[in-house]
Amino acid sequence: MNKKNAFPVTPSTIIRLALVGVFDVAVLSLIRQLLDDGNYPLSGILGVVIVIITLCFSLENLRYYRWLGVSLAATTLFVLYPILYTIYLSTTNAGYGHILTKQEAVEFLESQQYVPESGQQYKWTAYRSLESTNDYVLWLQAEDDTTFLTGIGTATKPASIGEDGIGSADDKGIPTSIQGYQRLEKRDTVAMIDQLGELEFGVAPDIIRITSLTVAATTQQRYQYDSDSDTLTDAETGLAYHPEEGVFTTDDGQELPPGFRVGVGLDNFERFFSSSALRGPLVRIISWNFAYAILSVLCSFALGLFIAVLFETLPGRQIIRALLIIPYPIPALVSILIWRNLLNPDFGALVSLQNSVFGTAPNWLTDPKWTRIAIIIINMWLSYPYFYIVSSGALQAIPTDMMDAAAVDGANAWQRFSRITLPLLLKIVSPLLVASFAFNFNNFNLIYIFNQGNPPIAGSPIPAGHTDILISFVYRLAFNSAISDYGLGASISIVLFLFIAAITWGQFRYTRVLEDQTV
Amino acid sequence: MTDIQTHSTPIATTSYKKTNFSLNYQQRRWLGYIIRYIIAAILIVFAFVPVVWVLSASLNPSGSLVSIEVIPKNPGLGNYRGLFENQYYPYLTWLRNSFVVASVSTLLSVSSTTVSAYGLSRFRFYGRKTLMRAILIISIFPAALSIIALYTTFQQVGNHIGILGLDSHASLILIYASGALSINVFLVKGYIDSIPLEIEESALVDGATHAQIFRMITLPLAKPILITISVLTFMAIYGDFVLPRILMQSSDKYTVMVGLYLFQSADYAQNWGVFTAGAVIAALPILGLYMLLQRYIIGGLTAGAVKL
């Protein structure tokens, strides 16, 4: 490139190209490993990242893109890819029992061992290397009382007490020490049994594994996968399994977990829109989702605007303003947790205040109606300062001569506000109201932190709560270990995204942001 | 507006001056003030209830849960001591984690935002408009919607590169930093657009490169907007809960927000006073930052309102 365009090769060019080279090599090696896993989506996007970085920083024609190269690559990887991956997940059955890719499931199954009938069984005692924590030897006692010594990657050899390096026997005939190794006590063995179980002793084909706390045995690979016929064969029982809807299944319907991800087309979307089991809770969740977002924005904006207008000309408004903005800089999580505790039915301060004043208090955390009211009030508390700041700014942007003219013409304060101030102000802040609606529509934090979407909806086929909004419901679907329905969760995420995108796009068009901002 | 202009002036003027109260103008003004001060007082109470209450609870040595006394009987710092000496909850580690993650992410994010904004503002190249529209659309995809994808992605990458897996701050920082191409880029670009080109042109004539111009002319001039987006970004990352909650798995990797959440959900009654102390300390840095840079924050918010 440089030669062709007759650009001088400066040291900075060399450094730049060298950095690009190092980056490419590093990412390529990661891609290789991911390809070995069969992880094509991630490999693909990393390939795109390499292309972006390499082209932006090496082609002279694209030199202006150098200013954007890193951001573009990062956005591709951490913003665009999650979107694409969510779309992909939404068309699969990914979830509980179907977490792995097919290749990972096959690898897992192929790593399973069994003890063949001809297999030798031993009682075992483990000794840990004094030098390395990952090196062990086993002292094995066969049923006929012959004894062996075996290590990781070393052949199993007959051994007996008194040989070189083997210490004296204890009362059970087990050496108390082996040279270079320290015997594991019983309680260490119990604590480490999972770790020990993964070790392979001896050399193939006579691999010896620890199969229980007392028994070690020569084992063999249980499942063999044949990729040509797409069949998994069980060496122990002789059964043949074929993949069916994401799980290996015999002809007579026996399933072999773990399952794996397969594409299910638009099934998840169909379930979302038409499953009768989901409909009940979903209708509640969606209507509350809208009500919550709209009420939150309207109430917060109304309060913020009210404050801005009421105190606009009041002496001492700077102090009032400073005091009233206090909720804004406190991290939302802290505020929400404090509110949650204030409203706790057992020992919340506000609840005991209500009890002492009114003799009764609503159950803010378990009564669906009152929980919802609490959420709206808390959201008002959280966001009115923002609208107060924004409305004050907007009020100052409204020309005063118009107000003066109206006053001279005899308009009273309310007329001036409703006919002049409000329309002009709404024009300025309406994009923010829409953005705030979009934000609140997916305001996971408030819902989850305040009450985790609870109280629960009784009799719902999938756990759901009265204050759940769609995004907190998605969280339940994905991260509640009993369900873990990533596929359905992802498809709801996509629906939410399309909804928010449509609103935002409409707003951009309406306010001509696309034209103005992207000049 | 036309409505108002059609009012017949003489009648309107008289009705404006006529009053049903037997108060004169001065008295009515004072009455208005008093009513407004009362409303202000009520609102200030509403704003301050949680704040005052958490402060008082954190200073209350009894840790009494139902306590509604505003000033505790024997105020003391016992809860704060308990917070830092708690052996099960490494509060200081959480605080440090939050600071490290938020500072590094903010630095990276603001740097790449600024560099990108300069590129978009100063150069005209093929695909520029398409790119800007794409950024606007992509930036509205809420992070909360990609939690499943991010979780599985970092799980997979972590199998090969441990430091970019789950339970690693580097992963968190990368996600935050790559949010750079968001709405912020337009705020900065708008600001750079308003810096006159003449200064840069004369520098170009003098033989400066674009990199030099960016570093020595644009950056210093764009300082106000950079402070604004830095503070807002820092506040957002410091206060974030969803991502660290899902990606961080061991207690000593939590950020202070995740820690506080677990703190109070774990063992309510016993952690009570200590939780309130933790809440106060977690909020203080942001409050301080806000007090220091209030001008920039409010300026940034109103600029967003008026310009968008």
Side-chain angles (χ1 to χ4, degrees), chain A residues 27-37 43:
Chain A
V27 177
L28 277 174
S29 80
L30 176 61
I31 290 182
R32 245 195 72 160
Q33 297 173 35
L34 288 170
L35 282 177
D36 286 345
D37 290 354
S43 314

Side-chain angles (χ1 to χ4, degrees), chain B residues 105-298:
Chain B
S105 308
T106 305
L107 189 71
L108 291 176
S109 159
V110 171
S111 311
S112 58
T113 300
T114 317
V115 173
S116 306
Y118 183 81
L120 288 173
S121 168
R122 286 301 183 242
F123 306 113
R124 296 290 174 269
F125 46 85
Y126 180 77
R128 177 174 164 277
K129 278 205 163 181
T130 320
L131 188 65
M132 283 196 279
R133 286 170 189 206
I135 294 171
L136 265 183
I137 299 302
I138 286 180
S139 65
I140 56 176
F141 192 82
L145 294 187
S146 25
I147 45 179
I148 301 176
L150 287 171
Y151 179 83
T152 43
T153 303
F154 280 100
Q155 202 178 26
Q156 292 158 355
V157 176
N159 289 336
H160 302 292
I161 308 177
I163 197 167
L164 290 184
L166 298 174
D167 210 19
S168 154
H169 290 152
S171 311
L172 211 50
I173 290 172
L174 273 180
I175 299 176
Y176 289 137
S178 59
L181 281 188
S182 64
I183 222 78
N184 277 348
V185 94
F186 294 101
L187 273 182
V188 182
K189 178 187 160 287
Y191 198 92
I192 297 180
D193 283 343
S194 71
I195 300 175
L197 266 175
E198 285 76 15
I199 313 173
E200 298 184 17
E201 277 162 359
S202 63
L204 267 182
V205 172
D206 288 347
T209 64
H210 278 296
Q212 284 168 328
I213 292 174
F214 172 73
R215 215 172 49 235
M216 295 157 84
I217 298 176
T218 315
L219 271 190
L221 286 176
K223 212 170 103 187
I225 192 75
L226 296 187
I227 295 179
T228 302
I229 65 163
S230 302
V231 186
L232 293 177
T233 308
F234 187 91
M235 282 168 76
I237 297 174
Y238 183 88
D240 188 35
F241 169 71
V242 189
L243 277 178
R245 169 90 174 104
I246 291 161
L247 296 182
M248 300 299 108
Q249 298 177 324
S250 51
S251 168
D252 60 337
K253 290 286 168 62
Y254 290 155
T255 61
V256 76
M257 292 301 141
V258 179
L260 267 185
Y261 178 78
L262 296 180
F263 220 162
Q264 71 96 45
S265 53
D267 206 350
Y268 240 129
Q270 282 168 26
N271 284 324
W272 186 241
V274 180
F275 160 74
T276 53
V280 171
I281 301 245
L284 276 183
I286 297 297
L287 266 173
L289 202 62
Y290 171 79
M291 303 254 178
L292 268 179
L293 302 169
Q294 198 171 12
R295 191 161 54 95
Y296 293 98
I297 297 172
I298 293 182

Side-chain angles (χ1 to χ4, degrees), chain A residues 161-162 166-177 183:
Chain A
I161 305 288
I166 296 176
S168 55
D170 65 5
D171 52 355
K172 287 177 185 154
I174 300 166
T176 49
S177 70
R183 184 168 158 182

Side-chain angles (χ1 to χ4, degrees), chain A residues 33-195:
Chain A
Q33 297 173 35
L34 288 170
L35 282 177
D36 286 345
D37 290 354
N39 193 336
Y40 302 112
L42 194 52
S43 314
I45 207 78
L46 284 172
V48 174
V49 166
I50 287 195
V51 170
I52 292 176
I53 291 288
T54 313
L55 291 184
C56 286
F57 287 96
S58 61
L59 290 186
E60 209 49 47
N61 293 341
L62 292 178
R63 63 188 175 282
Y64 295 140
Y65 271 97
R66 271 172 221 163
W67 295 90
L68 294 151
V70 175
S71 302
L72 279 180
T75 306
T76 308
L77 199 52
F78 295 111
V79 183
L80 189 58
Y81 174 69
I83 298 177
L84 298 177
Y85 194 77
T86 307
I87 295 175
Y88 158 72
L89 277 182
S90 71
T91 65
T92 68
N93 64 350
Y96 182 71
H98 300 275
I99 299 281
L100 306 173
T101 61
K102 184 174 176 187
Q103 191 171 342
E104 285 165 340
V106 168
E107 271 168 25
F108 173 80
L109 289 168
E110 284 194 325
S111 72
Q112 297 297 299
Q113 302 287 323
Y114 78 110
V115 181
E117 275 171 35
S118 61
Q120 244 324 329
Q121 298 209 6
Y122 308 94
K123 282 184 189 160
W124 60 273
T125 310
Y127 300 80
R128 177 163 48 192
S129 166
L130 295 172
E131 283 143 30
S132 153
T133 49
N134 296 323
D135 187 23
Y136 296 87
V137 290
L138 289 189
W139 175 263
L140 302 169
Q141 289 170 292
E143 277 157 34
D144 57 3
D145 276 342
T146 52
T147 51
F148 302 87
L149 196 60
T150 185
I152 297 169
T154 56
T156 310
K157 282 180 297 202
S160 52
I161 305 288
E163 277 180 39
D164 241 10
I166 296 176
S168 55
D170 65 5
D171 52 355
K172 287 177 185 154
I174 300 166
T176 49
S177 70
I178 286 175
Q179 195 175 16
Y181 293 84
Q182 185 187 7
R183 184 168 158 182
L184 284 186
E185 294 305 321
K186 193 78 186 171
R187 60 167 188 280
D188 295 332
T189 319
V190 173
M192 297 173 59
I193 187 69
D194 287 340
Q195 244 174 299

Side-chain angles (χ1 to χ4, degrees), chain A residues 305-318 320-321 388 392 395-396 400 403-404 413 416, chain B residues 25 29-30 32-34 36-37:
Chain A
L305 178 64
F306 174 73
I307 295 174
V309 172
L310 200 64
F311 303 145
E312 199 189 2
T313 55
L314 194 64
R317 62 182 169 280
Q318 281 87 355
I320 296 177
R321 180 189 170 109
Y388 173 33
S392 300
L395 281 177
Q396 278 158 21
T400 47
M403 304 291 283
D404 295 340
R416 272 176 284 156
Chain B
Y25 178 71
R29 207 174 66 161
W30 279 108
Y33 282 166
I34 290 167
R36 282 192 276 175
Y37 282 126

